Amino acid sequence: MSVPKRYPEEFRRKVLDLVAAGRPVGQIAADLGVSDQTIYSWRRQELANLWWGGTCPAAGARQ
């Protein structure tokens, strides 16, 4: 089994900014040589961090 490739945090942030700007994940993945599943995982983790970190707009409604 191979070791997963590590990407610098700055690279991940730029990829997630492109997703947030509306670029299709498949296009970003092809352009930058990252698997689409990796991008989806980063996005899922970002959303979880926002939610559990309390910065999600709906987080205030839970209290």
Side-chain angles (χ1 to χ4, degrees):
M1 178 180 234
S2 65
V3 176
K5 185 174 180 181
R6 296 283 299 170
Y7 295 95
E9 185 60 36
E10 182 178 317
F11 177 77
R12 291 173 62 154
R13 179 77 260 145
K14 288 181 180 183
V15 169
L16 292 173
D17 288 346
L18 291 171
V19 172
R23 292 237 348 242
V25 169
Q27 181 183 12
I28 297 168
D31 290 348
L32 300 178
V34 179
S35 82
D36 58 345
Q37 288 304 308
T38 296
I39 296 172
Y40 286 123
S41 293
W42 293 346
R43 181 65 178 140
R44 188 171 45 251
Q45 184 62 52
E46 178 185 54
L47 292 173
N49 289 344
L50 288 173
W51 179 262
W52 294 111
T55 58
C56 179
R62 293 183 295 160
Q63 297 174 357

